[in-house]
Amino acid sequence: MSLYITDECINCDVCEPECPNEAIYQGEEIFEIDPGRCTECVGHYDEPQCVEVCPVDCILPDPQRRESEETLFARYEALMDEAS
């Protein structure tokens, strides 16, 4: 499943540069994650890098977007094709 950022976000900006898929962006009030670009770092890292660096633990799995590792890897491959 992709991740989302809760309203507990303090806008510290440490997550955005860690995202290898550029899925994190500044929303109207807090940072947000584009679920169409989030792979939970599958294909890049063993763990989601945004979760690793978040000081307030406000990045969680999105219960509305349950996705298998295969789906996340397919998204990773599509994003890499798009980038080249």
Side-chain angles (χ1 to χ4, degrees), residues 47-62:
E47 299 293 327
Q49 297 302 287
C50 59
V51 173
E52 293 290 314
V53 299
C54 181
V56 293
D57 298 323
C58 67
I59 304 173
L60 305 172
D62 186 345

Side-chain angles (χ1 to χ4, degrees), residues 2 4 16 30-31 36 42 50 53-54 56-57 59 64 72 79-80 84:
S2 67
Y4 80 104
E16 183 181 26
I30 60 173
F31 279 87
V42 168
C50 59
V53 299
C54 181
V56 293
D57 298 323
I59 304 173
Q64 303 299 317
L72 295 171
L79 290 168
M80 293 303 101
S84 49

Side-chain angles (χ1 to χ4, degrees), residues 1 12 14-15 18 21-22 31-32 36 38 40 48 63 68 80 83:
M1 67 185 69
C12 66
V14 297
C15 61
E18 295 299 320
N21 299 319
E22 299 178 349
F31 279 87
E32 298 181 22
C38 179
E40 292 189 40
S68 68
M80 293 303 101

Side-chain angles (χ1 to χ4, degrees), residues 8-14 26-31 56 58:
E8 294 171 5
C9 175
I10 59 171
N11 288 310
C12 66
D13 190 31
V14 297
Q26 178 65 55
E28 287 187 33
E29 295 183 22
I30 60 173
F31 279 87
V56 293
C58 67

